[in-house]
Amino acid sequence: MNGETNLAILLKSMQPTLLAEEFVFITLQQGKYGDAAQLNPIAMFMESEGMTLVIPKARADQYQQAYSSVFKCITLNVHSSLDAVGLTAAFATRLTEEKISANVIAGFYHDHIFVQAHKAQDALVALRQC
C-alpha cells in the first residue's frame, strides 16, 4: 500500500495527534548505526558531522546527553505517500504563520512534526486549520 497522494484528501484527513512524550535531538560525532541503543532513539540520521538521534528527553537527562531544545511530536494520522507533493509545504506554511518551527521526519506511513514543546498546543490548533 503506497499511501495517499492527493493533497486535498491529505489535508482534509491528516488528523494531527500530539504525543505525550517530550523529545530532544542530540548528535554523536563518531556515532554509527546501533550505537547508543540505551537512549531508545525513535529516529536516526547520519550527517557528515555526526549521527543525529531523536530521543526521549527523559533518556537524555538520565544519560546526561546535551541538547538545546525540547520538542513534542505531532503525528499526522493519514497514510501519506512518500511521493505526495505539497503536504509538507502546506503544514509548514501554516506553522510559519504562527511562528512555530517544524522539524519533519517522514516515516513510511505518516509524517511526524517536531515542534517546540511550549508551542505544541498552538501547533496542534494550527494544523487542524490546514
Side-chain angles (χ1 to χ4, degrees):
M1 187 189 231
N2 292 328
E4 183 61 58
T5 59
N6 182 297
L7 181 58
I9 293 171
L10 288 167
L11 291 172
K12 189 165 90 171
S13 57
M14 62 184 191
Q15 301 175 9
T17 302
L18 180 63
L19 304 182
E21 197 163 17
E22 292 182 324
F23 297 95
V24 297
F25 288 66
I26 66 166
T27 187
L28 303 177
Q29 289 185 349
Q30 302 298 317
K32 60 186 180 303
Y33 184 78
D35 286 353
Q38 75 278 8
L39 298 176
N40 197 27
I42 63 165
M44 183 276 293
F45 196 87
M46 294 300 297
E47 300 179 283
S48 60
E49 299 86 355
M51 180 174 66
T52 296
L53 297 175
V54 181
I55 65 173
K57 179 185 175 295
R59 287 289 178 141
D61 292 341
Q62 179 183 357
Y63 287 93
Q64 300 175 339
Q65 296 294 311
Y67 55 87
S68 58
S69 298
V70 179
F71 299 90
K72 298 281 276 200
C73 180
I74 298 174
T75 296
L76 303 183
N77 289 300
V78 61
H79 182 184
S80 56
S81 169
L82 291 168
D83 295 321
V85 175
L87 179 61
T88 303
F91 67 68
T93 297
R94 183 67 190 101
L95 292 174
T96 298
E97 291 168 355
E98 300 297 325
K99 298 184 179 8
I100 299 172
S101 164
N103 298 284
V104 183
I105 297 177
F108 185 82
Y109 293 102
H110 307 287
D111 290 290
H112 309 276
I113 310 163
F114 292 84
V115 299
Q116 298 130 316
H118 68 279
K119 294 185 177 183
Q121 288 297 328
D122 292 338
L124 192 59
V125 169
L127 290 169
R128 288 181 176 150
Q129 295 171 351
C130 280

